[in-house]
Amino acid sequence: MTTPDAPTRVPWASHRRRRPAVAAAVLAAVLLGTLGNVPAAHARPASPREAACPPDLAGKARCYTGQDANGAHYTMAVPADWNGSLVVHAHGGPGLGDSSDPSRSTDDLERWAVMVGEGYAWAGSAYRRGGYGARMAAADTENVRRLFAQRFGRPERTYLHGQSWGGNVAAKVAETYGRRPGAYDGVLLTNGVLGGGSRGYDYRVDLRAVYQYYCHNHPRPTEPQYPLWQGLRPDSTMTTAGLRARLQECTGYASEPEDRTGLQQRNLDDILAVTRIPERTLESHLKFATFTFRDIVTNRLGGRNPWSNRGVRYSGSHDDKALNAGVERFSADPAARRDLSYDSDLTGRVPLPVLTLHAIDDPTAFVEHEAAYRAAVRGAGRGGNLVQTFTKEAEHSSLSDSEYANSISALDTWVRSGHKPTPRSIAASCGAFDATYGGGCLYDPGFQPAPYGSRVRPRPGGLGWPAMTAAQERAWSRIDGVGIAP
């Protein structure tokens, strides 16, 4: 039996690809302390410890947990029939909190066990803290890849997988670390929040303002007032249950339509029509525009405002004139917007094959995020590296296991063969995986998402992509303290 501290021998790895143990350890220590502009601790982390696998992987893989030098908990799995390749996972959210949640990466492994079932080793970081920070999360994701290679040897091929906000993180990993030889070979982004931070949450900015115009209870007139771009005042003790109660009070969203008052129904109709947010995810979007906005503004940007709704013309309500005259307006602090953009916007300069999978009726990360990413990648001259696929599903947190297995296989085939697949060829190959997983193959090969600005009202000057050019990124990187601190 392999002991937790002994390097696992990889039978398929050639002598040319192996490194002497001392050299590998020195290189890992150097790299772990130089992660772009995100500082990392220099202390060498402990080796991964063997741990129980999720029930679906019991007897099929060996699982490991640990904590890196920055405090980020992580989980790894190596299947008994390892195909020699690794999937590095970037999770969504972000969750809120001051420390790394050890259960997050183990839960992610259970959720993405299909990757291990397909023969891939798997590694995922819980990130060093909760709260916003795409570059921080990207650095922690890169850390777990390096730790895996240090413990088990360099994989034959390494693929990034990002889900939801993790799609933004994984795309940032690819842009930041993907040019390094031997780091990554391809990227899979599923239901990704690919519009970036400076524009990707504008529909939640609008929700925060429009909700308050109709509901007047967040804050109430009798409570301390604060600008809505804060999301929530820093010292507020409001809970998610308290926010839910206010939303119910104003709109009756949790009640049957016949049990709502006339005013509740009209408020609900107007909010949904103006913001174009689905009713079933109204609460989750408002929570983000409350608690995560507070985290971004108060904890990450020092109280500065990165949001704007100046110049936005709201429409779809029963009285657009009154709405536009009465809704709270605000303009972004340019430095705050720059810092949020530098942290999370994508330049599109991805050097690797990228395959995306997105539900057409995703109620959380609207499918138009894919149009934004397509425009960014093409704007950077990298359109040949991108293939996008879409399914007739209405979920955000998870899609069909058959489609996930098919997607990682299609990406692997693309990387190995050099032949770029098409949405139609990917859809055609799914049936073989559905025979195993039975989740269904719901591809729509002919679908193309409408431009991002058709779903999310653009701010003045906000129609061009990428939202942050490579030249801007280089220039901003020279500014001391730019971005969001880890």
Side-chain angles (χ1 to χ4, degrees):
M1 177 179 290
T2 303
T3 61
D5 294 324
T8 297
R9 295 298 177 189
V10 186
W12 45 261
S14 68
H15 176 74
R16 179 179 59 84
R17 298 197 68 167
R18 292 195 186 106
R19 296 173 177 167
V22 174
V26 171
L27 180 61
V30 171
L31 292 178
L32 286 168
T34 56
L35 292 175
N37 70 323
V38 178
H42 293 284
R44 182 176 177 179
S47 297
R49 301 176 301 276
E50 193 156 2
C53 287
D56 287 351
L57 295 178
K60 302 176 184 177
R62 299 182 70 175
C63 299
Y64 305 82
T65 60
Q67 193 170 15
D68 73 14
N70 297 310
H73 289 275
Y74 60 82
T75 300
M76 301 172 178
V78 180
D81 57 348
W82 188 16
N83 63 17
S85 293
L86 169 68
V87 172
V88 179
H89 178 72
H91 75 70
L96 301 179
D98 295 329
S99 59
S100 183
D101 178 5
S103 66
R104 178 64 202 236
S105 56
T106 56
D107 291 346
D108 287 341
L109 173 59
E110 183 172 13
R111 181 177 173 189
W112 304 109
V114 61
M115 302 294 185
V116 183
E118 285 299 301
Y120 295 87
W122 187 96
S125 172
Y127 312 148
R128 70 190 72 178
R129 62 160 171 78
Y132 204 83
R135 285 184 183 267
M136 173 206 71
D140 292 342
T141 301
E142 168 66 352
N143 258 346
V144 80
R145 180 195 69 80
R146 291 169 176 170
L147 289 169
F148 183 96
Q150 179 182 329
R151 173 65 172 81
F152 299 103
R154 181 186 292 179
E156 186 180 49
R157 289 177 179 82
T158 300
Y159 300 113
L160 278 162
H161 173 220
Q163 167 80 16
S164 188
W165 181 61
N168 189 168
V169 173
K172 181 67 75 175
V173 174
E175 291 186 0
T176 306
Y177 307 107
R179 293 177 181 82
R180 297 179 179 176
Y184 299 98
D185 298 279
V187 187
L188 173 62
L189 308 175
T190 56
N191 279 10
V193 180
L194 300 176
S198 74
R199 299 180 188 174
Y201 305 123
D202 279 345
Y203 51 98
R204 289 165 171 163
V205 174
D206 293 337
L207 172 61
R208 190 67 184 84
V210 170
Y211 175 87
Q212 183 65 3
Y213 171 80
Y214 287 110
C215 298
H216 309 290
N217 67 2
H218 188 22
R220 301 183 190 278
T222 56
E223 294 175 329
Q225 301 298 294
Y226 55 89
L228 298 180
W229 49 261
Q230 286 186 341
L232 188 63
R233 59 186 170 88
D235 58 346
S236 173
T237 58
M238 179 185 285
T239 64
T240 56
L243 179 62
R244 189 180 305 119
R246 295 187 189 212
L247 178 59
Q248 172 67 11
E249 171 191 294
C250 176
T251 67
Y253 80 108
S255 301
E256 295 297 326
E258 60 270 20
D259 295 328
R260 298 169 186 154
T261 68
L263 179 58
Q264 285 177 328
Q265 188 64 62
R266 191 169 79 164
N267 287 341
L268 181 61
D269 290 344
D270 279 346
I271 291 169
L272 297 178
V274 173
T275 63
R276 306 169 193 174
I277 287 174
E279 182 174 344
R280 62 194 172 107
T281 51
L282 177 60
E283 179 189 335
S284 64
H285 285 291
L286 188 59
K287 284 169 59 178
F288 193 104
T290 298
F291 301 106
T292 306
F293 275 19
R294 176 171 65 175
D295 173 74
I296 293 172
V297 170
T298 301
N299 299 334
R300 313 303 160 201
L301 295 175
R304 297 171 298 150
N305 173 28
W307 318 119
S308 175
N309 68 347
R310 192 76 61 183
V312 175
R313 172 71 183 176
Y314 296 112
S315 61
S317 72
H318 73 279
D319 189 343
D320 290 345
K321 183 177 180 180
L323 169 61
N324 283 283
V327 72
E328 183 175 317
R329 300 284 182 175
F330 39 86
S331 298
D333 176 299
R337 191 167 186 84
R338 175 206 66 200
D339 286 351
L340 182 59
S341 179
Y342 180 77
D343 179 74
S344 57
D345 283 347
L346 301 169
T347 67
R349 294 187 73 247
V350 61
L352 305 168
V354 180
L355 174 63
T356 73
L357 173 69
H358 212 117
I360 294 171
D361 196 23
D362 184 337
T364 299
F366 303 149
V367 72
E368 288 80 7
H369 275 274
E370 296 287 343
Y373 189 60
R374 177 187 61 202
V377 172
R378 288 178 177 176
R382 303 300 174 91
N385 290 345
L386 179 65
V387 174
Q388 294 177 299
T389 61
F390 303 93
T391 68
K392 300 174 183 178
E393 290 170 276
E395 297 298 329
H396 171 70
S397 295
S398 62
L399 302 177
S400 159
D401 273 357
S402 301
E403 293 161 358
Y404 287 127
N406 184 47
S407 295
I408 195 65
S409 174
L411 178 62
D412 182 60
T413 300
W414 180 7
V415 169
R416 289 174 181 271
S417 69
H419 297 301
K420 183 178 178 180
T422 66
R424 196 164 300 280
S425 70
I426 293 172
S429 65
C430 185
F433 296 95
D434 202 40
T436 299
Y437 296 104
C441 296
L442 303 173
Y443 289 95
D444 184 348
F447 179 81
Q448 286 290 323
Y452 188 74
S454 70
R455 178 68 177 265
V456 181
R457 290 179 173 83
R459 278 54 184 157
L463 287 173
W465 297 89
M468 174 182 65
T469 66
Q472 284 176 317
E473 183 181 41
R474 285 193 298 271
W476 289 345
S477 70
R478 301 185 185 103
I479 300 172
D480 186 41
V482 72
I484 289 176

